[in-house]
């Protein structure tokens, strides 16, 4: 017994020291290296790169080698891109947990940017789905650039015929997330009452329209300044969160798509029938270790004790979903709501704006001026 106490104390001390060391390592920000500007030549393109985590100033427009498509790849000339919270999460390396894959101390992948719209500039020898000149949109890797390569089977599809490059660039992550939340996780059916918490942002603007296209009665939650905007997406009613708390009302919702996660699981469960489904998509919690994931953690712990189903989701962009969204856009059921437009040289300002969390719809950067 006398032996056990010092052994336990040693194990506990070792555990605390290891956790502290892991914490210090994972939250460490390496200094930004100074990169000498390389000269622009016929074989270089402009592209954003970042070599350290931090504010939007870490995003540097550089002259880099023009990419060449491999056999199964296409080379896309990027016309417009849109900004997502994912971009500033990568830029900041926060929540820290993501650094396990994005790089400890500094990013391992110096490219940045996902959503794009553009034209096929070149195709690899084995490409069958696309040809030079096709207007395409989707989500890639390192699209904050004049050109980007991607596999023809990746998240890239033909643009809706009547869409502009700006409208198509807005779709990517936000609309695919909205589609998977409403259709797959929320299993929304005609006639159901659906509430979208955070209806005025990028994902919310698409989620309202997609839920309406499934025949649901949609309530959006937004601030007073965005009520008219959310109604313009097709919402049947809008709750001004600065005046009313939807978890304190008498209305019940079959499905809640939660993009803000600013209420407890118990409070949300209180406005849902036992058969209800709450889809936790994102949140405003800026916990630096796990960020909005803290709400998913709460749901995991509390969910077994409440009757509605709580599910967390991580969207996965792919060609099939882009084609569904293209069809919805061509049928006039979904359109992109564009808040602000920036030129390529001001991309860091666009990221800075989105990071404030006040965007109304999507934020676009035009890589090719005047679309
Ligand atoms: N799980 C996934 O796979 C996945 C995929 C994409 C996005 N996400 C996450 O989903 C969330 C939404 O993404 P997003 O692209 O739509 O972000 P966003 O465009 O930056 O959202 C901004 C909008 O949120 C609204 N908002 C802020 N606080 C609110 C509140 N308390 N109640 C209601 N609305 C509020 C803002 O309106 P006001 O200015 O009026 O407050 C603004 O219009 C983010 O947390 C993002 O990281 C998750």
């Amino acid at each position: 017994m006398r032996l056990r106490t010092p052994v336990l104390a040693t194990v506990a001390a070792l555990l605390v020291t290891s956790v502290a060391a892991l914490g210090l390592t994972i939250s460490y920000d390496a200094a930004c290296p100074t990169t000498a500007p390389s000269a622009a030549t016929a074989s270089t393109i402009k592209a954003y790169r970042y070599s350290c985590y931090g504010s939007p100033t870490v995003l540097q427009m550089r002259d880099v080698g023009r990419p060449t498509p491999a056999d199964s790849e296409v080379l896309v000339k990027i016309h417009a891109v849109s900004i997502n919270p994912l971009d500033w999460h990568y830029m900041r390396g926060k929540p820290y947990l993501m650094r396990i894959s994005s790089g400890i101390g500094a990013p391992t992948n110096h490219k940045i940017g996902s959503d794009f719209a553009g034209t096929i500039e070149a195709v690899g020898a084995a490409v069958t789905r696309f040809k030079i000149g096709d207007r395409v949109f989707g989500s890639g890797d390192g699209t904050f650039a004049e050109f980007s390569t991607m596999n023809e089977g990746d998240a890239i599809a033909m643009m809706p015929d009547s869409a502009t490059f700006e409208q198509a660039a807005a779709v990517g992550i936000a609309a695919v997330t909205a589609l998977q939340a409403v259709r797959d996780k929320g299993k929304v059916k005609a006639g159901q009452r659906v509430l979208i918490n955070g209806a005025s942002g990028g994902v919310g603007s698409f989620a309202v329209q997609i839920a309406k296209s499934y025949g649901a009665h949609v309530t959006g939650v937004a601030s007073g300044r965005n009520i008219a905007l959310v109604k313009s997406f097709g919402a049947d009613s809008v709750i001004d969160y600065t005046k009313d708390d939807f978890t304190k009302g008498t209305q019940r919702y079959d499905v809640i798509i939660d993009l803000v996660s600013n209420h407890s699981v118990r409070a949300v469960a209180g406005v849902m029938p036992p058969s209800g489904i709450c889809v936790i998509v994102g949140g405003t919690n800026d916990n630096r270790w796990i960020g909005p994931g803290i709400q998913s953690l709460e749901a995991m712990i509390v969910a077994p004790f409440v009757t509605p189903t709580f599910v967390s989701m991580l969207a996965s962009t792919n060609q099939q979903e882009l084609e569904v969204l293209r069809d919805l856009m061509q049928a006039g059921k979904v359109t992109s709501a564009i808040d602000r437009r920036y030129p390529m040289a001001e991309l860091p300002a666009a990221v800075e704006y989105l990071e404030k969390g006040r965007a109304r719809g999507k934020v676009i950067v035009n890589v090719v001026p005047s679309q």
Side-chain angles (χ1 to χ4, degrees):
M1 191 65 192
R2 228 182 283 149
L3 247 182
R4 201 177 288 163
T5 312
V7 170
L8 282 179
T10 310
V11 171
L14 272 175
L15 202 68
V16 169
T17 314
S18 309
V19 170
L22 185 70
L24 279 175
T25 308
I26 212 167
S27 61
Y28 165 71
D29 282 342
C32 283
T34 43
T35 317
S38 54
T41 68
S43 60
T44 60
I45 62 160
K46 302 268 181 231
Y48 275 89
R49 295 285 187 263
Y50 75 129
S51 319
C52 56
Y53 295 125
S55 70
T57 54
V58 303
L59 306 177
Q60 308 266 310
M61 191 158 77
R62 298 195 192 142
D63 292 299
V64 302
R66 185 182 159 114
T68 314
D71 275 2
S72 60
E73 287 183 338
V74 295
L75 175 69
V76 179
K77 177 180 166 64
I78 309 285
H79 284 244
V81 295
S82 70
I83 316 288
N84 288 285
L86 187 70
D87 301 318
W88 59 256
H89 284 303
Y90 272 118
M91 178 189 82
R92 297 260 176 204
K94 282 184 188 165
Y96 291 140
L97 205 60
M98 70 184 283
R99 295 187 181 194
I100 292 167
S101 65
S102 70
I104 305 288
T108 45
N109 178 3
H110 295 183
K111 294 178 182 176
I112 187 156
S114 298
D115 293 353
F116 72 92
T119 48
I120 301 282
E121 181 80 4
V123 294
V127 168
T128 55
R129 289 185 183 163
F130 301 101
K131 60 180 191 315
I132 291 171
D134 282 349
R135 288 164 21 108
V136 289
F137 75 125
S139 286
D141 172 34
T143 60
F144 294 171
E146 289 177 316
F147 292 89
S148 184
T149 51
M150 49 206 82
N151 195 290
E152 67 163 339
D154 285 350
I156 171 172
M158 298 291 283
M159 273 173 51
D161 294 338
S162 56
T164 63
F165 287 114
E166 290 181 344
Q167 288 167 333
V171 175
I173 292 175
V176 168
T177 303
L179 178 67
Q180 292 175 346
V182 169
R183 183 194 63 188
D184 305 337
K185 298 287 180 179
K187 304 183 195 324
V188 169
K189 293 175 203 65
Q192 284 190 317
R193 280 200 171 258
V194 175
L195 179 132
I196 316 280
N197 188 24
S200 53
V203 179
S205 63
F206 288 109
V208 170
Q209 298 179 68
I210 292 168
K212 280 305 294 175
S213 79
Y214 279 75
H217 179 284
V218 178
T219 301
V221 180
S223 64
R225 73 186 180 114
N226 288 328
I227 288 177
L229 179 75
V230 174
K231 283 202 171 143
S232 77
F233 302 152
D236 299 285
S237 60
V238 183
I239 295 172
D240 178 352
Y241 74 80
T242 63
K243 291 188 179 144
D244 297 309
D245 177 344
F246 75 87
T247 65
K248 301 226 161 76
T250 52
Q251 184 60 60
R252 297 288 174 267
Y253 303 96
D254 302 299
V255 179
I256 292 181
I257 307 292
D258 204 343
L259 309 170
V260 188
S261 303
N262 54 340
H263 297 91
S264 73
V265 168
R266 281 191 188 285
V268 174
V271 289
M272 304 189 78
S275 59
I277 302 175
C278 175
V279 187
I280 300 172
V281 181
T284 46
N285 191 304
D286 60 358
N287 177 290
R288 55 199 169 134
W289 291 97
I290 57 172
I294 203 148
Q295 278 100 356
S296 301
L297 205 63
E298 188 206 347
M300 258 167 58
I301 295 164
V302 181
F305 307 101
V306 293
T307 45
T309 305
F310 281 77
V311 284
S312 299
M313 69 165 279
L314 205 52
S316 144
T317 51
N318 59 62
Q319 208 161 74
Q320 292 72 30
E321 311 292 45
L322 291 169
E323 286 169 357
V324 171
L325 290 160
R326 180 190 59 213
D327 294 346
L328 284 170
M329 288 175 90
Q330 289 201 154
K333 292 183 174 169
V334 169
T335 53
S336 302
I338 295 171
D339 177 1
R340 294 192 182 182
R341 298 161 169 86
Y342 292 81
M344 189 178 183
E346 289 173 27
L347 185 140
V351 177
E352 187 178 12
Y353 172 64
L354 187 84
E355 195 182 2
K356 291 194 173 106
R358 303 271 81 90
R360 308 170 78 229
K362 292 293 298 178
V363 176
I364 298 292
V365 174
N366 282 310
V367 176
V368 174
S370 63
Q371 300 296 302

